[in-house]
Amino acid sequence: MAASIGSLLAEISGVEDPIEELQSLKTALLSIPVSALRDSVSGQRFDVIFSLLDSNEREQVELCVDILERILMALSPVNVVQNYRVELQGGLTHPKETVKILALMQIGRVVEHPDAVTEILNNHDILRGVIHCIGEEMSVAKQAVQSLSKLSHSKPGLDKLFQSDLLNAIKDVMATSDIIRYRIYELLVEISSVSPISLGYCANSSLISQLLSELTGDDILIRATAIEMVTALAHSPHGRQHLSQQGIMDKLSNMIRGAETDPLSSLYLPGLVKFFGNLAIMESPQQVCETYPAFLDKVFEMALDPDPAMIGVALDTLGLLGSTVEGKQILQKTGKKFKAVLLRMSKHGSLGATNLRVRSLDAISQLLTLLPEQQTEDLLALTESWFQLLSNEPMDMIRNIITQPFPELHCSALRIFTAIADQPWGQKLMMSTPGFMEFILDRSTGQTKEAKDGKFQLVGTLAGSSTAAEILGSQHYLRMKTYLREGPYHVTAVATVSTEGAD
C-alpha cells in the first residue's frame, strides 16, 4: 500500500487538474486503518499536497485538507513538527478557514507532546500566528484558544506567553474589537483555572485586572459579558480567593443593590444572580446568603417578576440553592417570603410557557429531594410542608401535569414524585391517593423513551426505599419488583383469540 500511495503522489505531481487523482489518494488513505497508516506514510513526502493548497479551487483545497488531516494524524507530533513546521506556519495565514483549522489542530497536538513542544516554543512566528488566529472566524479562533490553552499547561509555555514579547502580541490582538478582547479573556480564564501558578502569570500580566475593571464599565453589554467571565473564574478555589482579595464579591453585591435605580439592569442582573448562586454551592449557601443578603432578596424579587427571563434565572437559582440541606434551611428561615415564592413557583409549573413550566417543576423537585442520610425528622417535616404548599391537592396537581401531552412536562413532573418517593411521608401520600399506585405501574402512560426511563426511576426509588415494603404493603411492593425486573421498555404481549368458523 505504501507503493500505491507513492505512485498516487507521483501521478498528482504530473497533472494540471489533479481532482481525480486527489480523490483516489483520499480513498486509498481512508481504506487503511489509522493504526496501520503510519507505516504506509512514513518515509513519504507530501510537499505536493501542501503546494496544492495554494489554489482558488474549493474542491481541490478541501480534498487536500482531508488528505493531510488523515496523514498528519497518523504521524507522531515529533514527526509532524520536524518535517512540516514551515507548512504549518503557512497554514495559519491561509485564506481558507479549513486550512487554518488543520494547522491549529496539529499545533495543538505538538504542544501537548513533551518532546515536540520545544520546536514550537522556539518558534516565535508560529506562536504569533496562533495568537493572531484568535482574531479570525469563530471556528478558527476556538481552535487557536485551545492550542494556546494546551501550551500554558507547562511552565515553559507560561513563560513564553506571558514573559516574552508574545504578551504584546496578545495585547495588540485584544485591541482589535470588543469581541476579540473577550475571546482573549476566555483564554485567560481557562489558563487561570488550571492552578494558582497559572493564575499568577495571568494576574501579573495585568490582563486579569483589565477584565475585572470591565465589571463597572459604561457599556452594559460588556459589563454583562464580564460578569460571565468572572463567574467562570470563580469555579476554581484559587480563582475565588483572588476575586475575594480584589474585593470583587462586594463590588458585585453592590451592583445588585444599585440595580434598583438602573433602567438597564435587566441585561446584567441574571448574570449577577448566577454568580452568587454558583458561589453559594461551591462555598456555603449560609455564608453567601448571610454575607450578601442582597443576593437572596433579589432572587425572591425576580421569582415574582413578570419578566420570563428574570423568573427563569430565579427558578434555576432557587433549585440550585435548595438542592443542598444548608440551602433548604436558609430558604425556610425566610418564612413568608419563601412561601410566597413557592406558591408562585407552583403556579408557573401549572400555567404558562412550557420552558418556564419545566424550569419551575425541576426547581421544585430539587427543593424536595433528600438523600437517605439527610432524612432527619426536621428536614422530612420541612419537605412535606413545602409539598403541601404547592396546592390544595398537590398529588392531583402533579399527576394532571403528567397526563398532559407534553413530554418535557411529563418527565419534569415525574421527577417531583421521584423526589418524594423515598421519604416516608411521600410514600404514605402515594398510598392514600386513590389509584396512584396503579397509575405509576401502568406502562401505557408516557410512551417516549425519556418518559419510560423517568417512570422506571420513580418505581426504582420507591422500591429501593427501606420503608417501602412496610408502608406500601407486600402486594404493591412485589408488583414494583416485577416492574423493575422486566425493565423500563417491557411490553405485555396481548393474546389473539380466534373463533372457529369465523370469517
Side-chain angles (χ1 to χ4, degrees):
M1 184 56 78
S4 171
I5 290 174
S7 60
L8 286 168
L9 285 169
E11 287 178 27
I12 290 168
S13 302
V15 294
E16 275 190 35
D17 183 10
I19 296 294
E20 189 176 332
E21 287 77 10
L22 286 170
Q23 188 62 62
S24 298
L25 177 57
K26 178 182 173 182
T27 302
L29 291 168
L30 289 174
S31 68
I32 308 171
V34 174
S35 56
L37 191 56
R38 180 174 297 180
D39 294 335
S40 300
V41 299
S42 61
Q44 302 278 358
R45 288 294 303 179
F46 294 90
D47 301 337
V48 63
I49 308 299
F50 278 105
S51 69
L52 290 173
L53 289 171
D54 294 326
S55 169
N56 293 322
E57 293 293 328
R58 185 184 61 81
E59 186 180 2
Q60 177 177 311
V61 172
E62 295 308 319
L63 278 168
C64 289
V65 167
D66 292 342
I67 289 167
L68 289 170
E69 185 175 18
R70 186 79 172 169
I71 291 165
L72 296 175
M73 287 304 290
L75 297 174
S76 72
V78 174
N79 192 321
V80 169
V81 74
Q82 287 179 347
N83 290 293
Y84 299 108
R85 182 171 56 247
V86 173
E87 288 80 0
L88 291 179
Q89 185 177 331
L92 296 175
T93 55
H94 194 280
K96 293 288 185 184
E97 188 176 335
T98 52
V99 179
K100 290 174 186 165
I101 291 172
L102 172 68
L104 288 164
M105 285 178 68
Q106 292 305 315
I107 291 168
R109 287 182 67 216
V110 169
V111 299
E112 281 186 304
H113 196 285
D115 296 328
V117 65
T118 308
E119 299 277 354
I120 296 293
L121 288 172
N122 292 334
N123 193 313
H124 257 46
D125 291 335
I126 285 184
L127 289 174
R128 195 184 302 276
V130 175
I131 290 167
H132 281 288
C133 280
I134 298 177
E136 300 284 347
E137 303 93 334
M138 188 61 204
S139 57
V140 173
K142 186 177 178 182
Q143 202 66 53
V145 165
Q146 282 184 19
S147 296
L148 292 171
S149 178
K150 290 172 183 176
L151 181 68
S152 72
H153 287 184
S154 68
K155 186 179 184 301
L158 287 166
D159 287 340
K160 184 62 71 173
L161 285 175
F162 295 104
Q163 293 184 350
S164 75
D165 60 356
L166 288 178
L167 182 58
N168 292 327
I170 291 173
K171 291 179 178 179
D172 288 343
V173 171
M174 285 182 80
T176 310
S177 70
D178 291 342
I179 291 173
I180 309 304
R181 186 164 80 256
Y182 275 90
R183 289 180 187 172
I184 299 286
Y185 285 149
E186 283 181 18
L187 171 62
L188 289 169
V189 169
E190 202 168 309
I191 292 173
S192 298
S193 299
V194 174
S195 70
I197 293 172
S198 302
L199 174 57
Y201 274 89
C202 294
N204 290 337
S205 73
S206 78
L207 295 178
I208 291 290
S209 298
Q210 187 176 332
L211 165 60
L212 299 180
S213 70
E214 307 264 21
L215 291 169
T216 50
D218 294 331
D219 189 314
I220 298 298
L221 292 176
I222 287 179
R223 193 187 300 181
T225 309
I227 291 167
E228 285 183 33
M229 300 289 176
V230 170
T231 301
L233 185 59
H235 283 163
S236 64
H238 57 274
R240 293 195 293 279
Q241 184 182 15
H242 182 77
L243 292 174
S244 180
Q245 289 168 347
Q246 301 299 313
I248 298 303
M249 278 71 159
D250 291 328
K251 185 176 287 187
L252 295 179
S253 179
N254 289 334
M255 285 172 68
I256 290 178
R257 288 195 183 93
E260 299 290 342
T261 57
D262 186 350
L264 297 175
S265 64
S266 62
L267 294 172
Y268 60 83
L269 257 179
L272 289 172
V273 167
K274 286 178 186 176
F275 173 86
F276 282 105
N278 283 303
L279 187 66
I281 295 304
M282 291 182 288
E283 293 285 332
S284 155
Q286 181 173 342
Q287 182 183 335
V288 169
C289 291
E290 289 179 355
T291 307
Y292 310 104
F295 157 60
L296 194 54
D297 288 343
K298 183 56 67 175
V299 173
F300 286 166
E301 185 183 313
M302 288 166 67
L304 302 173
D305 197 287
D307 182 352
M310 295 294 174
I311 298 168
V313 173
L315 292 172
D316 296 344
T317 306
L318 287 165
L320 196 62
L321 279 175
S323 65
T324 67
V325 167
E326 205 174 291
K328 286 177 170 64
Q329 292 167 333
I330 286 290
L331 293 172
Q332 179 74 344
K333 282 180 186 176
T334 65
K336 291 180 180 178
K337 284 185 180 179
F338 179 63
K339 287 181 180 179
V341 166
L342 192 56
L343 285 169
R344 185 62 64 91
M345 290 172 73
S346 176
K347 185 178 178 182
H348 290 316
S350 301
L351 304 167
T354 302
N355 174 55
L356 213 54
R357 295 181 68 185
V358 167
R359 289 168 84 171
S360 185
L361 294 170
D362 285 345
I364 290 169
S365 69
Q366 288 177 288
L367 288 166
L368 295 174
T369 298
L370 283 177
L371 298 175
E373 62 271 20
Q374 297 170 340
Q375 293 183 17
T376 63
E377 189 176 331
D378 287 348
L379 286 170
L380 286 168
L382 180 150
T383 52
E384 182 177 10
S385 69
W386 286 359
F387 185 77
Q388 295 295 350
L389 275 174
L390 296 176
S391 160
N392 291 332
E393 298 291 343
M395 293 293 286
D396 290 341
M397 182 194 92
I398 304 300
R399 187 159 58 169
N400 286 340
I401 295 171
I402 290 175
T403 58
Q404 292 171 16
F406 303 103
E408 316 96 291
L409 293 175
H410 181 104
C411 294
S412 293
L414 272 177
R415 282 193 282 272
I416 293 179
F417 281 144
T418 303
I420 68 171
D422 64 346
Q423 300 179 51
W425 66 263
Q427 294 168 8
K428 289 172 184 174
L429 259 181
M430 291 175 178
M431 274 302 294
S432 64
T433 302
F436 186 84
M437 295 307 297
E438 288 71 20
F439 166 72
I440 67 165
L441 292 167
D442 181 3
R443 290 186 180 273
S444 67
T445 60
Q447 292 304 301
T448 65
K449 178 184 182 300
E450 292 76 15
K452 290 177 185 293
D453 289 340
K455 179 77 75 72
F456 191 75
Q457 186 179 358
L458 168 56
V459 175
T461 302
L462 257 179
S465 167
S466 60
T467 56
E470 179 188 347
I471 294 175
L472 303 177
S474 58
Q475 183 183 353
H476 291 306
Y477 186 72
L478 291 173
R479 285 182 65 196
M480 286 191 295
K481 287 292 187 182
T482 301
Y483 189 108
L484 294 174
R485 191 168 57 252
E486 291 171 344
Y489 315 118
H490 176 76
V491 178
T492 305
V494 179
T496 303
V497 179
S498 61
T499 306
E500 188 178 349
D503 293 335

